[in-house]
Amino acid sequence: MNTSPYLRKTTAVNSVMLRVLIALLPAICAYAWQFGAAILVQLAISTATALFAEAAMLAARGKPARLYLTDLSAVVTAWLIALSFSPITPWWLMVTATLVAIVIAKHLYGGLGQNPFNPAMVAFCTMIVAFPALMSQWPGAGQLDFHTQLELILGGARQLDAITAATPLDALRTGLREGGADVTVPGLMAGPAFGALGGAGWEWIALGYLIGGLFLLQQRIITWHMPAAFLLALAATALLMWGMRPDRFGSPIFHLASGGTMLAAFFIVTDPVSGATTPKGKLIFAAAIGALTYVIRSFGAYPDGIAFAVLLLNICVPLIDMQTQPPVFGHKRD
Amino acid sequence: MLRKLFKFHGGVKPATHKDAATASPIVTPPLPARLKVPLHQSIGGTPRPLVKAGDKVLKGQRIGGADGNVSSAVHAPTSGTVLAVEPVVTAHASGLSTLSVIIEPDGEERWIERQPIDLRATPADEIRDYLRDQGVVGLGGAVFPSHLKLKASREKPTRTLVINGAECEPFITCDDMLMRERAAGIVSGIRVMRQILGAEEVIVGIEDNKPAAVDAMTLAVQTAGLDQVSVVAIPTRYPAGGAKQLIRVLTGIEVPHGARSTDYGVQCFNVGTAYAIHEALELDQPLISRIVTVAGNVGQPRNYEVLFGTPMNELVALAGELPGTDAYIMGGPMMGFRMPAFDVPVVKATNCVLVSSPSLFPPPPPEMNCIRCGECAKACPADLQPFELYWFSRAKNFGKAQEYHLFDCIECGCCSYVCPSHIRLVDYYRFAKSEIWARERDKDAADAARERFDFRNLRQEREKQEKAARLAAKAAETRAKLAGESGDDDKTTSSAKPSQAEEAKKALIAAALEKARQQKERAPVPPRNTDNLSADKQAEIDAIEARRAAARQEAE
Amino acid sequence: MLSALLVMTGIALVLGAALGFAAIHFKVEGDPLVEKIDSILPQTQCGQCGFPGCRPYADAIAQGEADINQCPPGGDEGVRKLADLLGREYKPLNEEHGVEKPKSVAFIDEQTCIGCTLCIQACPVDAIVGAAKQMHTIVASECTGCELCLAPCPVDCISMEPIAETVENWKWRYPVIEIKRAA
Ligand code: SF4
Ligand code: SF4
Ligand code: SF4
């Protein structure tokens, strides 16, 4: 039976997802320019794996494959994974991570729209817990040529410590921890791994994400709530600590421009499926992730805290949503 | 004059498709060969039929009397002969039939005697009763009896009367054309309503995509010299014509679901209703026709003044139905309902017959999972979280759905309109709402049954006790008598008698229950209770059995 | 050692007092469980469950003397609700007590009725009106459809008529989620 409304807007899920992918392009370009083409290889690996896993899961669950494959949600997940992993991650690790995201985090919970956790972040956390060493090897900007990168990805000998540096975030923390009292943040930041604002090269990528994020805002695919709350909360916590001990903690600018901050602000925290949905809830959700990220970055054992912060807050989503239901028409004053 | 306008949350802006039907004036179609006038055309009780097959009726004669106060009368749209009073498939999404009066017009259009009432001399209560008997209901589509709405709240004076000329649904232009052509009548109706409600000010809200209607109404208000009435152009955004949304836009007041707007000092009527009130009171013409837009898959979209009971397909034929039609939709594309047949009659709720074709309104793309994108929440004019309601309705978790204000949903369709997953959200709400209503009905019935059952048990208990008391009294009497003669030797009888009676009752009930059960077990054997009958009862039964046998033979 | 014992005793005392207070202060009058069960039962009062009415059956369920699948008018949904309420396993309706039927009301063929009042006595909810030797009729809105009046009627003039669907009680169907296999 056909019922009203008989008119529909023509936007479909795949057009939303497509625009998200487009919004990722500036950052990918910056990435390839700063760190070499390895990221493109990673994107290809994860996309292929994701599509394959999605198709297999849809077939297993008796769902129409073409309909759901063309919604492009698997591709978005794949790209987010590739972008949040090191560009020299071995291929099998990338494949495993993507499988974890699609099969476990997405389909075992019921597929598109049903997953309580952000699939990309589930993949990240699982891998960092399982392979902490491999996950913390990041090349410096322009450090490795494409050939070496490819060799690393496809599993050549890994003389790793020689060729890779830790991420700026990692470097900062370990540097502070191991260096004793005479090592200070300004001192460390003068090193080659750091650029003007954050990590060398990372600033450009962050700028790319920022441009993409503004595009999404302009397209009304995301609302301002989450990015603003996330960035503000992260900056505010950083400012607080930095204000007290500028020699022991990174500046707010450093935190905004490093690691996955910008990626998270516009593409990960804003994942609608696993995030809070009410306007107030979005603010709380994103702000909590921001603050938690800072805490894990500064005091935890892992290079970046975003993934854990996101998963922790994913758990709280039902509660946040329930507590922040906006007032309904006509019931506003009671 | 500039007035501060308010905004309502959400809303959408679909293409309006209104120009084609406003190019030509309203016309009256020729009399159809048959009029099928359903008795149930408004919210409330189904009117009782007042005519039977073979009766001659005059135009405007009452054929259905209001059943109680929450109901509204129905009138013969033309003069002619009643062919039948029988169930006919009606203009309702269910496709069910309702009792209808079928009239064959005689073509003479002879009116009943009409005598407009003197509005100044008549008390408001009588005017309201009169409106009920004139069959005036809300013509915006909700068909709520107007006399019930023309009553100020006890607590609060009605400050503002809002007249709804927004007409926000695409394709529909009947109110637009009415305002352009009959503004004077509408204003006259407004004056009456203002008087009955005692409203201080009247605001006519019209979407700013109808400048001609705004001009016509402004002019009519000026001519009538009503300076408490202002005509206001409001921004075009669906569903600005929803009563609650319009009240919000014009006055800033939000009337919650389930509350009467008069309790907030405001009341809202459609322009068509204002015109109907003018006709009913000042011309003494009951509601027998309305303006209907015919649009969609037709050659010449247009507005007609249609008698109720006119089959929709005859109307659509006049507008030049194009090939490919797959259904008629009553109402607009956002909130209308598909009609179960092409020949269903036009009723009081029919503001538009939208001729649908697969190319005009393609079937919805397959539904995908909700991605919680929040688009629906952004579009919802009732500030709801439609996807939450969807989850709960879909899981049949009706309690939760109500907690999230399911009943505040006005079924405007904005959420389904924007959903990128093409979920037909409103269908789930309609399902959940009618399911909840059904459950409430069942619950009420169960509560009533429990009460009656308890009462009956109480009554039986009382009767038993009374009987026991009577018996005891009798026994005491006998005993007293006996005591006079011999010693007190029958203590047993006095206590034994009532308990015997009780035993007998219990046995009876047990027997009845037992019988009920036995009867169920041997289903094919017809249930009987013919043991231990008195002779005359038996005789009566025999006579009946004989009658039955005879009847059966005749049948064969 | 001694202080640990003392602390434990103290805690026990405080908690005990709190519990005792709660028990007195928040005591619920009556037996809410029976009420809750009774409110799930359809109140048809037909006796098919083997008890002389819904309330006695509710009592029996509450006391664990009767199973939850004995009420045919409540149907499958009723059993499910009872199972939910009582935290028991759902089981299909016990066929011994009857099967679920569409909701009906009794109808007396007034041509045949002899006015014997037997049905009036059988009706658990006083939904039949009439006096001795006069035609009886059923108040359809009050009839629960229990069928108890069928058996006692000596002339077999009562029949059950399913409640018709009308525009007023019509319900929207559950939306079918049709995902066509895009093969
Ligand atoms: S618009 Fe559709 S997909 Fe988006 S949240 Fe609402 S129901 Fe879900
Ligand atoms: S149909 Fe109901 S839930 Fe959907 S937008 Fe309209 S009012 Fe909101
Ligand atoms: S079987 Fe009949 S009497 Fe027993 S609970 Fe069900 S409706 Fe009530």
Side-chain angles (χ1 to χ4, degrees):
Chain A
M1 196 177 54
N2 209 340
T3 48
S4 63
Y6 301 96
L7 295 176
R8 316 194 139 260
K9 220 171 165 177
T10 39
T11 343
V13 174
N14 53 12
S15 94
V16 175
M17 298 294 174
L18 188 65
R19 278 177 285 170
V20 174
L21 294 179
I22 292 173
L24 283 170
L25 290 180
I28 292 176
C29 294
Y31 206 137
W33 166 48
Q34 287 292 326
F35 289 86
I39 183 64
L40 303 179
V41 179
Q42 300 287 14
L43 283 172
I45 295 176
S46 68
T47 307
T49 317
L51 285 177
F52 169 77
E54 180 93 351
M57 285 313 285
L58 287 171
R61 294 174 57 218
K63 300 268 169 178
R66 191 181 303 162
L67 179 65
Y68 280 102
L69 275 180
T70 50
D71 72 20
L72 298 180
S73 61
V75 181
V76 171
T77 306
W79 284 25
L80 291 180
I81 294 175
L83 289 172
S84 50
F85 279 35
S86 155
I88 50 164
T89 311
W91 67 271
W92 53 266
L93 189 65
M94 185 57 72
V95 167
T96 323
T98 313
L99 285 178
V100 166
I102 299 292
V103 176
I104 296 178
K106 184 172 178 188
H107 279 286
L108 289 193
Y109 281 105
L112 176 68
Q114 315 269 6
N115 46 299
F117 298 107
N118 187 323
M121 293 301 104
V122 170
F124 187 90
C125 288
T126 327
M127 291 306 124
I128 207 164
V129 170
F131 307 100
L134 281 174
M135 288 293 287
S136 344
Q137 289 156 352
W138 291 68
Q143 194 187 4
L144 301 174
D145 60 25
F146 185 59
H147 181 73
T148 328
Q149 288 178 339
L150 212 55
E151 230 166 47
L152 285 168
I153 294 173
L154 297 179
R158 288 185 88 84
Q159 275 303 328
L160 291 161
D161 290 343
I163 48 170
T164 67
T167 62
L169 275 174
D170 220 9
L172 187 68
R173 193 189 31 231
T174 34
L176 284 172
R177 199 167 285 163
E178 284 155 12
D182 50 332
V183 180
T184 62
V185 169
L188 277 170
M189 294 268 292
F194 299 89
L197 304 175
W202 287 105
E203 305 137 329
W204 292 106
I205 301 176
L207 184 68
Y209 288 131
L210 184 62
I211 294 171
L214 294 179
F215 169 71
L216 288 186
L217 275 173
Q218 184 267 330
Q219 293 284 310
R220 305 174 125 262
I221 287 176
I222 58 174
T223 58
W224 58 270
H225 303 82
M226 294 226 200
F230 172 76
L231 294 176
L232 276 179
L234 180 62
T237 2
L239 184 67
L240 190 75
M241 300 308 281
W242 180 67
M244 288 194 294
R245 300 286 304 275
D247 54 336
R248 307 304 295 172
F249 295 100
S251 72
I253 303 287
F254 169 75
H255 275 283
L256 290 186
S258 312
T261 305
M262 286 295 159
L263 174 65
F266 294 100
F267 296 92
I268 289 176
V269 176
T270 51
D271 170 39
V273 175
S274 55
T277 50
T278 63
K280 231 198 272 168
K282 283 180 185 172
L283 292 178
I284 298 177
F285 174 78
I289 294 179
L292 208 54
T293 300
Y294 181 84
V295 171
I296 300 177
R297 269 185 186 177
S298 305
F299 306 106
Y302 294 107
D304 201 343
I306 294 172
F308 289 98
V310 168
L311 291 193
L312 277 176
L313 264 295
N314 281 165
I315 301 177
C316 307
V317 160
L319 189 69
I320 295 176
D321 272 350
M322 207 166 72
Q323 294 302 325
T324 56
Q325 281 299 312
V328 166
F329 187 93
H331 300 273
K332 286 184 183 149
R333 259 151 244 97
D334 44 65
Chain B
M1 185 189 67
L2 275 183
R3 169 180 287 278
K4 176 173 165 25
L5 292 181
F6 297 82
K7 268 198 184 138
F8 62 91
H9 175 262
V12 294
K13 286 188 180 168
T16 57
H17 301 281
K18 289 192 190 237
D19 294 340
T22 50
S24 33
I26 302 171
V27 285
T28 309
L31 266 182
R34 292 249 189 301
L35 289 165
K36 300 179 284 186
V37 189
L39 289 169
H40 185 92
Q41 294 194 42
S42 69
I43 305 278
T46 306
R48 296 160 274 114
L50 300 175
V51 291
K52 55 186 186 312
D55 285 1
K56 291 256 181 283
V57 290
L58 293 174
K59 188 175 176 110
Q61 179 181 338
R62 218 184 313 152
I63 54 176
D67 178 35
N69 202 30
V70 188
S71 179
S72 190
V74 176
H75 302 79
T78 183
S79 59
T81 318
V82 175
L83 294 182
V85 180
E86 62 184 18
V88 163
V89 175
T90 190
H92 189 268
S94 64
L96 293 169
S97 305
T98 58
L99 201 59
S100 310
V101 176
I102 298 169
I103 297 173
E104 180 174 47
D106 58 13
E108 292 170 28
E109 299 265 41
R110 249 177 312 129
W111 272 95
I112 47 157
E113 209 176 296
R114 281 174 291 166
Q115 194 174 44
I117 59 170
D118 179 2
L119 284 169
R120 283 177 215 294
T122 323
D125 264 336
E126 267 171 52
I127 299 184
R128 280 191 279 269
D129 286 352
Y130 194 70
L131 277 178
R132 181 192 64 207
D133 293 338
Q134 292 283 52
V136 179
V137 299
L139 294 183
V143 286
F144 192 81
S146 298
H147 63 279
L148 297 172
K149 280 172 73 183
L150 272 174
K151 197 167 194 169
S153 131
R154 259 187 226 111
E155 287 98 53
K156 210 167 171 172
T158 307
R159 221 187 81 73
T160 313
L161 175 61
V162 170
I163 302 297
N164 188 346
E167 201 167 55
C168 54
E169 273 242 26
F171 289 99
I172 307 182
T173 51
C174 60
D175 290 348
D176 188 4
M177 291 311 285
L178 186 77
M179 288 188 285
R180 290 193 201 188
E181 297 187 8
R182 303 181 190 177
I186 299 173
V187 171
S188 184
I190 292 175
R191 187 192 298 127
V192 179
M193 290 192 284
R194 194 179 90 83
Q195 182 202 328
I196 301 176
L197 278 172
E200 270 168 47
E201 58 160 356
V202 182
I203 315 174
V204 185
I206 304 171
E207 275 193 347
D208 55 13
N209 62 358
K210 300 184 239 319
V214 176
D215 290 347
M217 286 298 291
T218 317
L219 187 68
V221 169
Q222 274 165 7
T223 319
L226 295 175
D227 47 3
Q228 314 86 344
V229 182
S230 42
V231 179
V232 178
I234 58 166
T236 299
R237 185 157 55 112
Y238 178 85
K244 295 192 170 173
Q245 278 65 34
L246 185 65
I247 293 176
R248 158 96 193 149
V249 168
L250 292 175
T251 67
I253 299 171
E254 290 192 359
V255 181
H257 163 76
R260 266 189 312 241
S261 52
T262 47
D263 288 344
Y264 291 74
V266 31
Q267 185 56 291
C268 178
F269 285 95
N270 179 263
V271 284
T273 319
Y275 188 74
I277 287 176
H278 154 70
E279 281 196 325
L281 296 179
E282 294 180 329
L283 309 176
D284 195 21
Q285 284 182 17
L287 187 60
I288 54 169
S289 67
R290 67 162 298 155
I291 316 292
V292 178
T293 307
V294 180
N297 192 31
V298 289
Q300 178 48 60
R302 187 166 197 165
N303 284 282
Y304 296 88
E305 164 127 37
V306 189
L307 298 177
F308 299 133
T310 305
M312 285 186 185
N313 50 358
E314 290 187 24
L315 195 60
V316 172
L318 294 176
E321 184 169 348
L322 299 178
T325 299
D326 61 350
Y328 294 163
I329 295 164
M330 184 169 94
M334 296 298 288
M335 293 180 75
F337 295 107
R338 234 176 139 92
M339 290 296 104
F342 290 112
D343 63 346
V344 294
V346 167
V347 292
K348 292 180 182 175
T350 315
N351 48 5
C352 175
V353 178
L354 189 54
V355 183
S356 145
S357 71
S359 57
L360 202 53
F361 304 121
E367 206 168 294
M368 294 172 59
N369 291 342
C370 168
I371 54 168
R372 297 177 26 115
C373 64
E375 281 302 315
C376 49
K378 273 192 242 164
C380 177
D383 302 87
L384 298 167
Q385 300 280 309
F387 57 92
E388 303 272 14
L389 292 176
Y390 156 70
W391 289 120
F392 295 134
S393 305
R394 191 182 145 154
K396 301 191 186 164
N397 189 346
F398 298 128
K400 265 284 188 220
Q402 275 174 284
E403 237 173 72
Y404 279 72
H405 300 284
L406 172 65
F407 281 98
D408 283 273
C409 164
I410 56 171
E411 297 181 27
C412 66
C414 290
C415 49
S416 308
Y417 177 79
V418 297
C419 176
S421 286
H422 309 300
I423 301 172
R424 283 139 64 191
L425 294 146
V426 191
D427 283 3
Y428 289 89
Y429 311 147
R430 291 191 185 115
F431 157 74
K433 284 184 185 179
S434 66
E435 197 64 34
I436 292 170
W437 280 322
R439 278 170 201 216
E440 265 163 24
R441 275 199 302 272
D442 282 354
K443 174 122 187 39
D444 288 348
D447 287 345
R450 181 185 299 124
E451 218 166 88
R452 296 179 73 82
F453 181 63
D454 290 347
F455 174 73
R456 176 174 178 269
N457 288 349
L458 213 74
R459 194 193 66 221
Q460 281 181 338
E461 190 59 33
R462 199 186 54 222
E463 277 166 7
K464 213 187 307 172
Q465 269 165 11
E466 278 169 6
K467 205 165 173 191
R470 261 204 316 281
L471 286 171
K474 221 176 188 174
E477 228 172 81
T478 346
R479 199 162 53 217
K481 248 188 247 159
L482 284 175
E485 288 156 22
S486 63
D488 50 351
D489 56 353
D490 68 356
K491 259 181 203 136
T492 38
T493 39
S494 61
S495 56
K497 260 189 182 155
S499 79
Q500 260 167 19
E502 221 166 281
E503 292 286 303
K505 261 266 145 62
K506 265 196 193 146
L508 251 175
I509 294 174
L513 288 176
E514 184 54 29
K515 259 203 189 110
R517 199 156 314 123
Q518 274 173 11
Q519 183 234 341
K520 234 134 265 149
E521 275 159 21
R522 46 181 170 82
V525 186
R528 279 297 142 79
N529 185 2
T530 40
D531 322 320
N532 310 329
L533 285 175
S534 61
D536 50 340
K537 246 178 207 167
Q538 188 59 55
E540 227 169 317
I541 291 170
D542 290 341
I544 286 164
E545 290 289 354
R547 261 213 311 277
R548 265 199 194 151
R552 226 171 267 144
Q553 253 164 14
E554 239 168 67
E556 280 158 15
Chain C
M1 184 64 208
L2 186 67
S3 61
L5 268 181
L6 281 178
V7 167
M8 291 304 282
T9 325
I11 290 176
L13 280 178
V14 170
L15 286 182
L19 280 178
F21 173 77
I24 294 165
H25 202 73
F26 301 113
K27 191 171 163 218
V28 198
E29 292 301 326
D31 191 345
L33 185 59
V34 177
E35 296 292 333
K36 276 191 200 143
I37 298 175
D38 195 39
S39 71
I40 291 177
L41 297 177
Q43 306 303 324
T44 308
Q45 316 290 4
C46 61
Q48 289 181 80
C49 49
F51 295 86
C54 303
R55 178 77 195 209
Y57 178 43
D59 273 330
I61 295 181
Q63 272 151 33
E65 287 162 13
D67 219 332
I68 56 171
N69 60 349
Q70 302 184 355
C71 169
D76 207 50
E77 203 188 320
V79 181
R80 268 180 214 286
K81 279 196 197 151
L82 285 174
D84 265 359
L85 173 70
L86 302 167
R88 291 203 210 158
E89 196 71 21
Y90 160 81
K91 42 177 99 170
L93 205 63
N94 187 343
E95 300 264 316
E96 269 175 40
H97 292 271
V99 287
E100 194 177 348
K101 283 186 231 169
K103 272 190 83 108
S104 315
V105 290
F107 175 76
I108 295 185
D109 174 6
E110 296 175 354
Q111 306 303 300
T112 326
C113 170
I114 55 174
C116 69
T117 76
L118 286 174
C119 58
I120 296 189
Q121 290 165 35
C123 177
V125 290
D126 291 337
I128 308 181
V129 290
K133 304 239 169 151
Q134 291 197 344
M135 178 185 85
H136 296 354
T137 187
I138 287 178
V139 186
S141 62
E142 257 132 38
C143 171
T144 61
C146 70
E147 306 192 357
L148 287 182
C149 53
L150 296 193
C153 178
V155 290
D156 204 5
C157 72
I158 310 182
S159 55
M160 300 305 293
E161 307 228 319
I163 297 177
E165 190 172 44
T166 67
V167 174
E168 276 104 54
N169 68 12
W170 172 79
K171 292 193 285 188
W172 285 93
R173 305 287 180 273
Y174 188 70
V176 267
I177 310 160
E178 36 167 343
I179 296 181
K180 282 173 230 101
R181 301 210 82 181

